[in-house]
């Protein structure tokens, strides 16, 4: 391998390192709040791109968002609102879409209980609950009203007030127009038959009315249940308020008729949707709730004819299809290389739609942003891609590598890695569109830098990485990052999060005699890397480390094989040994709870898990993966990078509850040899990974995850066989014709955990072994 090629490889591999938190984000966390926008709140999705545009549409570059610490934040079209907004799509239900339409309103509420609705504003609506005696009232409060696919959200301007979300399924009547003074007479409201008056007459009457007349109108919501989130701007469990309430939102600068029109369609779709049964994942195995991953809820109807999906697609797809605004180009003479491409940016659990375009200077992405909802003339409030949008560009000069990625169970994603350890995951409409971008972008990089563009998922990259590792040019940590990326794993995809091994077996916690003043750079006094006893057996999967537990797994497997042969049970899954996987979205968030709490709240329906099931101790977690029949999870890369120590520290000061022993869950309890230092723990863990003992045995673990023992007969022989859902790929999903069955198959794969793509057909060689001319290692698939 030439020196230039080696330099290019090392430069590309540096972009694979785990996302590191910025100091500004750590300061935000200590204040107990989250970053400002739905995409700025991600730990690992801040997008390193130049940002252009604004209210005037001028292509001025903007600095990265300080709130997110590493890139722009996608929020309101107003810079002022984006800087202050606490709303995040993570506050919605999983799978719910933000329609990118919001309005300035003045909100009030009153109880629908007999005798309720006292005059005192106790601050509980939008701030915390129900007053004593059933009273329920919120006085005039300014804020932003946002409509989403399954709910309507009100964000008060005062950060001490909680964000209120009213799901359509909890509305007792369809949203209607009312008077700003609290009267619904003469304006749309429930009629005597229980139906609703036609809003079109009121739309026509008000389209020519004065601004004052429009400002006197209100959108009225009646519900028997709503959710309050982020009261006092603190991330924590949501408050589920069960009480009949009427919310009244007076629009300050526009007419509420367009909002009511959309809300009515979504409400009717929700009513229709209740007739469909929900799709859930229920494999033929009993999960132990002490360690099973959180359930990812699927939309209640996954039929292609779901009216709600049709409404959302109509709103967002129309906006995303509009031509890219070339005024955002960096150069006046810039030449497009592709037409307008409908695509989206994928980050953990979320997706941001927009349109993209590749030019000779870079790849541009223009997200859908809120339309002119407060235009003062009863604007349509349509989401748009245009001069008001903020375009982002990844310059060709900064691109270091690319990788083909999955979008769920569709092979149409592309991850672009740039300098300074950044990347962005894009999902296109088709694999053909993705491949066109790959081809043209590769050509531009070659023309600009006179070096080929590294693609982590190409066969040649895996061969080069193996050669570098064997020659000592890559350490074990970097090599595992390479293999994870080559096998389809990404920090932007929780269902395919990079997987790393448990390396040590000694995680005993320290006592009162530990030296608190020990320096982080002191040599390890409690770990002897020359002692094989301190290491985990890397030749076995986690499920086989405990022989007694393994016997139970094998007994069940043999029973399933016998039942399959005898045909005693119909529709039985293929026999498997382990009913849970070593890597799943819930497991990644289990480890990352302290830096991605809103993601966990999304998966847990607005609540943190029971304290005893939270990640509170390294030793307790390792004991669980050795003894718990439902826990065989491995680690994530952050366990080996000292710069990522924040995932072990409760720097937000979140209230995570108390264990059954009465001990408070706070920072993660570390092994005694860590000297109560998170950085020291990660340094020692990394040193163990790079030790001679581990380097000699690492190929056996690679075989289990990326090689010959990862699937098929090799997995069976290595006691490494998982539920068949973990082996599902795009081809298997595409072969399923029934929409609901296909949705169930996709849900199983993303929820249960997906086995990485197989990279090696033969045993992985060790360092110093010859791999050429028909050696032990074969080319990657």
């Amino acid at each position: 391998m030439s020196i230039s090629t080696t330099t290019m490889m090392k430069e590309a591999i540096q972009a694979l390192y785990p996302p590191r938190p910025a100091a500004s984000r750590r300061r935000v966390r200590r204040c107990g709040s989250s970053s400002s926008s739905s995409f700025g709140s991600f730990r690992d999705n801040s997008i390193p791109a130049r940002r252009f545009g604004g209210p005037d549409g001028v292509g001025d570059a903007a600095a990265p968002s300080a709130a997110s610490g590493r890139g722009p934040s996608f929020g309101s079209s107003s810079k002022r609102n984006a800087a202050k907004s606490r709303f995040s799509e993570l506050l919605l239900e999983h799978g719910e879409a933000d329609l990118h339409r919001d309005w300035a309103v003045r909100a009030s509420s009153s109880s629908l209980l007999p005798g309720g609705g006292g005059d005192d504003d106790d601050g509980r609506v939008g701030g915390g609950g129900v007053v004593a005696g059933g009273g329920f009232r919120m006085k005039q409060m300014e804020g932003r009203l946002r409509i989403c696919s399954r709910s309507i959200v009100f964000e008060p301007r005062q950060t001490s007030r909680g964000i209120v979300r009213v799901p359509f399924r909890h509305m007792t009547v369809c949203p209607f127009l009312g008077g700003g003074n609290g009267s619904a007479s003469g304006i749309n409201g429930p009629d005597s038959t229980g139906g609703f008056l036609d809003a079109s007459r009121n739309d026509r009457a008000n389209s020519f009315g004065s601004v004052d007349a429009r400002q006197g109108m209100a959108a009225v919501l009646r519900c028997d249940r709503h959710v309050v989130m982020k009261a006092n701007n603190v991330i924590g469990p949501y408050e589920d308020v069960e009480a009949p309430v009427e919310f009244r939102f007076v629009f300050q600068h526009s007419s509420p008729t367009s909002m009511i029109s959309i809300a009515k369609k979504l409400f009717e779709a929700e009513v229709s949707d209740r007739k469909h049964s929900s799709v859930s994942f229920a494999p033929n195995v009993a999960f132990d709730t002490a360690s099973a991953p959180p359930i990812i809820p699927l939309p209640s109807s996954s039929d292609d004819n779901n009216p709600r999906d049709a409404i959302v697609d109509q709103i967002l797809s129309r906006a995303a299809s509009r031509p890219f605004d070339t005024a955002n180009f960096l150069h006046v003479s810039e030449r497009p290389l592709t037409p307008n491409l409908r695509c989206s940016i994928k980050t953990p659990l979320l997706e941001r739609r927009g349109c993209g375009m590749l030019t000779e200077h870079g790849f541009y992405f223009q997200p859908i942003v809120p339309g002119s909802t407060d235009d003062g003339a009863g604007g349509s409030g349509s989401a748009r891609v245009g001069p008001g949008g903020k375009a982002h560009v990844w310059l060709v000069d900064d691109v270091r590598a690319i990788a083909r990625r999955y979008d769920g169970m569709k092979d149409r994603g592309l991850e672009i890695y740039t300098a300074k350890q950044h990347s962005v995951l894009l999902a296109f409409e088709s694999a053909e569109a993705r491949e066109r971008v790959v081809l043209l972008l590769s050509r531009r990089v070659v023309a600009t830098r006179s070096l080929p563009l590294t693609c982590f998922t190409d066969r040649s990259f895996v061969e080069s990485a193996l050669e570098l590792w064997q020659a000592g040019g890559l350490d074990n940590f970097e090599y595992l990052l390479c293999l994870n990326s080559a096998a389809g794993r990404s920090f932007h995809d929780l269902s395919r999060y990079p997987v790393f091994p448990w390396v040590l077996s000694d995680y005993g916690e320290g006592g009162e005699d530990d030296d608190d003043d020990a320096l982080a750079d002191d040599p390890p006094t409690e770990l002897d890397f020359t002692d094989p006893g301190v290491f985990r057996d890397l030749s076995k999967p986690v499920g086989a480390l405990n022989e007694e537990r393994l016997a139970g797994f094998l007994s069940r497997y043999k029973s399933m094989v016998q039942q399959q042969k005898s045909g005693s049970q119909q529709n039985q899954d293929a026999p498997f040994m382990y009913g849970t996987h070593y890597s799943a979205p819930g497991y990644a968030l289990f480890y990352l709870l302290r830096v991605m709490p809103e993601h966990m709240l999304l998966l847990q329906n607005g609540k943190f898990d029971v304290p005893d099931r939270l990640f509170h101790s390294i030793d307790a977690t390792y004991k669980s993966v050795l003894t718990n029949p439902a826990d065989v999870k491995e680690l994530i890369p952050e366990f080996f990078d000292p710069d990522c120590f924040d995932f072990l520290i409760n720097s937000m000061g979140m209230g995570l509850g108390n264990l059954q022993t009465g001990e408070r869950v706070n920072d993660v309890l570390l092994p005694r040899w860590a000297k109560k230092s998170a950085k020291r723990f990660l340094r020692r863990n990394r040193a163990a990974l790079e030790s001679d003992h581990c380097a000699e045995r690492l190929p056996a673990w690679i075989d289990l995850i990326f090689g010959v023992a990862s699937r098929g007969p090799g997995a069976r022989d290595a006691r490494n066989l998982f539920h068949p859902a973990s082996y599902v790929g795009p081809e298997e999903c595409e072969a399923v014709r029934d929409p609901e069955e296909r949705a169930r198959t996709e849900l199983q794969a993303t929820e249960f955990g997906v086995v990485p793509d197989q990279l090696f057909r033969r045993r992985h060689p060790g360092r110093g072994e010859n791999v050429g001319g028909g050696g032990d290692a074969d080319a990657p698939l």
Side-chain angles (χ1 to χ4, degrees):
M1 188 180 300
S2 66
I3 296 177
S4 61
T5 303
T6 301
T7 302
M8 177 198 66
M9 283 277 296
K10 292 285 288 184
E11 190 178 60
I13 291 169
Q14 286 298 312
L16 287 174
Y17 272 67
R20 280 113 187 247
S24 59
R25 292 219 317 273
R26 290 200 185 104
R27 287 195 295 270
V28 169
R29 290 197 188 109
R30 291 190 183 102
C31 296
S33 64
S34 65
S35 63
S36 61
S37 73
S38 59
F39 273 61
S41 63
F42 288 76
R43 176 180 163 276
D44 57 321
N45 73 322
S46 303
I47 301 167
R50 293 192 181 182
R51 181 174 58 193
F52 306 93
D56 56 359
V58 179
D60 296 328
S65 166
S68 65
R70 259 207 273 155
S73 55
F74 295 120
S76 167
S77 59
S78 166
K79 290 183 180 180
R80 177 179 59 83
N81 288 337
K84 295 182 179 180
S85 176
R86 293 175 292 148
F87 174 78
S88 163
E89 289 184 58
L90 294 170
L91 300 177
L92 305 178
E93 297 177 9
H94 185 66
E96 183 174 6
D98 176 18
L99 301 186
H100 304 288
R101 303 186 178 195
D102 61 334
W103 298 263
V105 298
R106 191 170 64 253
S108 62
S109 67
S110 58
S111 173
L112 296 178
L113 292 172
D119 293 334
D120 295 332
D121 176 15
D122 71 325
R124 306 302 285 174
V125 180
V130 185
V131 298
F136 203 105
R137 185 173 179 83
M138 174 173 62
K139 290 184 178 179
Q140 302 295 326
M141 185 179 297
E142 293 184 349
R144 305 290 297 185
L145 188 68
R146 184 181 298 264
I147 188 166
C148 304
S149 60
R150 298 182 199 167
S151 62
I152 294 176
V153 179
F154 172 65
E155 179 186 354
R157 177 178 295 179
Q158 294 176 274
T159 57
S160 61
R161 302 288 185 156
I163 297 173
V164 177
R165 181 166 62 86
V166 184
F168 285 108
R169 68 177 180 275
H170 294 317
M171 295 182 188
T172 55
V173 296
C174 182
F176 61 92
L177 292 173
N181 60 359
S183 172
S185 61
I187 309 180
N188 298 58
D191 63 19
S192 58
T193 63
F196 299 89
L197 303 177
D198 184 9
S200 61
R201 290 182 301 168
N202 196 68
D203 291 351
R204 291 191 295 269
N206 283 280
S207 61
F208 301 100
S210 65
V211 174
D212 291 339
R214 290 197 304 272
Q215 290 179 347
M217 299 170 63
V220 182
L221 311 181
R222 292 177 180 172
C223 64
D224 55 16
R225 186 173 175 180
H226 66 276
V227 181
V228 179
M229 307 166 291
K230 298 179 77 169
N232 296 313
N233 203 27
V234 173
I235 297 176
Y238 306 157
E239 181 175 7
D240 201 355
V241 182
E242 295 189 43
V245 180
E246 177 181 284
F247 292 95
R248 190 172 295 269
F249 303 100
V250 178
F251 282 56
Q252 294 184 289
H253 308 297
S254 59
S255 168
T257 52
S258 61
M259 176 268 181
I260 289 294
S261 177
I262 299 173
K264 180 180 179 181
K265 293 177 182 178
L266 292 171
F267 178 83
E268 292 172 347
E270 180 66 38
V271 173
S272 174
D273 202 26
R274 292 172 187 170
K275 300 176 183 178
H276 298 268
S277 59
S278 62
V279 179
S280 60
F281 171 37
N284 296 328
V285 59
F287 283 96
D288 186 329
T289 57
S291 60
I295 298 299
I296 302 177
L298 192 72
S300 55
S301 175
S302 40
D303 194 331
D304 292 336
N305 296 320
N306 183 2
R308 183 200 295 113
D309 292 344
I311 296 169
V312 173
D313 288 340
Q314 181 183 16
I315 295 173
L316 298 182
S317 299
R318 184 171 60 242
S321 299
R322 296 181 182 178
F324 188 90
D325 181 19
T326 56
N328 286 318
F329 282 166
L330 280 170
H331 307 281
V332 176
S333 59
E334 197 159 351
R335 181 172 60 90
L337 300 179
T338 65
N340 189 67
L341 300 171
R342 290 178 59 181
C343 58
S344 59
I345 289 180
K346 308 284 287 191
T347 50
L349 303 182
L350 293 184
E351 174 182 22
R352 185 56 182 246
R353 300 189 191 186
C355 63
M357 181 176 290
L358 179 66
T359 74
E360 55 194 354
H361 290 288
F363 185 86
Y364 290 82
F365 177 79
Q366 201 161 249
I368 299 174
V369 297
S372 302
T373 52
D374 295 335
D375 56 7
S380 64
S382 60
R384 70 181 186 279
V385 176
K390 298 173 183 176
H392 307 265
V393 60
W394 293 266
L395 299 178
V396 171
D397 290 341
D398 293 334
V399 175
R400 295 295 179 264
I402 57 174
R404 293 175 178 86
R405 291 286 179 250
Y406 297 102
D407 174 22
M409 283 291 113
K410 297 179 176 63
D411 185 14
R412 61 186 186 186
L414 177 67
E415 189 163 3
I416 300 176
Y417 295 84
T418 63
K420 300 179 182 178
Q421 302 176 12
H422 296 307
S423 73
V424 59
L425 178 57
L426 299 163
F428 295 90
E429 283 193 306
S430 65
E432 292 74 19
R434 190 263 312 273
E435 290 304 312
R436 184 174 185 179
V437 172
V438 169
L439 176 63
L440 295 175
L441 181 59
S442 299
R443 289 176 178 175
R444 287 304 305 162
V445 170
V446 171
T448 302
R449 305 183 63 205
S450 300
L451 287 172
L453 178 61
T454 299
C455 181
F456 292 134
T457 47
D458 280 355
R459 168 178 179 158
S460 59
F461 170 77
V462 180
E463 293 173 340
S464 298
L466 172 58
E467 181 181 342
L468 269 178
W469 177 75
Q470 286 193 304
L474 293 179
D475 60 27
N476 294 338
F477 178 76
E478 292 173 330
Y479 186 52
L480 289 180
L481 286 178
C482 290
L483 296 185
N484 270 281
S485 185
R489 316 298 281 192
S490 170
F491 289 103
H492 298 288
D493 186 351
L494 291 178
S495 65
R496 292 182 173 85
Y497 206 79
V499 55
F500 269 61
W502 288 92
V503 175
L504 297 168
S505 61
D506 180 6
Y507 297 100
E509 294 166 5
E512 296 297 328
D513 296 331
D514 284 346
D515 182 11
D516 293 337
D517 298 325
L519 296 176
D521 293 330
D522 283 348
T525 56
E526 291 83 7
L527 286 176
D528 180 5
F529 292 156
T530 63
D531 178 11
V534 304
F535 291 94
R536 165 255 180 112
D537 187 349
L538 290 173
S539 67
K540 299 178 180 180
V542 168
L545 293 177
N546 183 330
E547 293 293 338
E548 182 178 350
R549 185 180 62 165
L550 176 62
F553 289 141
L554 295 179
S555 175
R556 180 181 61 186
Y557 171 73
K558 293 176 182 178
S559 175
M560 295 177 71
V561 171
Q562 291 298 325
Q563 291 175 358
Q564 186 182 57
K565 289 181 178 180
S566 64
S568 59
Q569 291 191 10
Q570 297 181 348
N571 301 322
Q572 181 185 1
D573 291 319
F576 57 88
M577 298 174 186
Y578 310 118
T580 58
H581 200 245
Y582 52 76
S583 177
Y587 294 155
L589 291 181
F590 170 83
Y591 291 127
L592 298 173
L593 166 66
R594 289 161 179 81
V595 290
M596 300 174 73
E598 289 181 296
H599 293 73
M600 180 59 81
L601 289 172
L602 175 59
L603 283 192
Q604 293 281 144
N605 296 317
K607 298 178 176 63
F608 292 132
D609 206 346
V610 175
D612 285 87
R613 292 202 294 258
L614 295 177
F615 179 40
H616 66 275
S617 163
I618 302 292
D619 187 46
T621 302
Y622 185 66
K623 288 177 178 176
S624 175
V625 303
L626 289 180
T627 60
N628 192 325
D631 192 358
V632 294
K633 59 179 174 285
E634 292 277 12
L635 296 181
I636 56 177
E638 285 82 349
F639 275 83
F640 303 90
D641 189 345
D643 288 331
C644 294
F645 67 92
D646 61 331
F647 82 99
L648 298 170
I649 298 173
N650 184 17
S651 55
M652 294 185 192
M654 295 180 293
L656 301 176
N658 297 326
L659 304 177
Q660 292 183 1
T661 59
E663 184 179 4
R664 179 190 172 199
V665 178
N666 193 24
D667 295 344
V668 177
L669 299 178
L670 303 174
R672 60 180 178 274
W673 44 262
K675 303 288 186 181
K676 300 184 180 179
S677 167
K679 283 190 174 183
R680 180 187 176 97
F681 166 73
L682 298 179
R683 289 194 187 103
R684 295 292 178 262
N685 219 29
R686 176 69 171 270
L689 177 65
E690 304 299 343
S691 66
D692 293 339
H693 178 96
C694 186
E696 182 181 343
R697 293 158 178 79
L698 188 60
W701 186 84
I702 293 174
D703 288 340
L704 294 172
I705 307 300
F706 307 107
V708 294
S710 63
R711 59 188 71 217
R716 180 197 59 210
D717 297 341
R719 307 292 189 260
N720 193 38
L721 200 60
F722 295 88
H723 190 278
S726 63
Y727 302 100
V728 171
E731 297 81 6
E732 290 81 2
C733 282
E734 196 64 30
V736 180
R737 299 302 179 187
D738 180 68
E740 290 205 4
E741 183 63 28
R742 187 187 309 120
R744 184 178 293 108
T745 302
E746 292 180 3
L747 175 64
Q748 288 178 348
T750 56
E751 177 183 298
F752 184 82
V754 182
V755 170
D757 293 346
Q758 185 174 349
L759 300 179
F760 303 96
R761 295 195 189 106
R762 299 184 182 179
R763 182 184 66 83
H764 190 285
R767 278 180 168 161
E769 290 187 39
N770 181 18
V771 298
D776 288 331
D778 204 352
L781 297 179

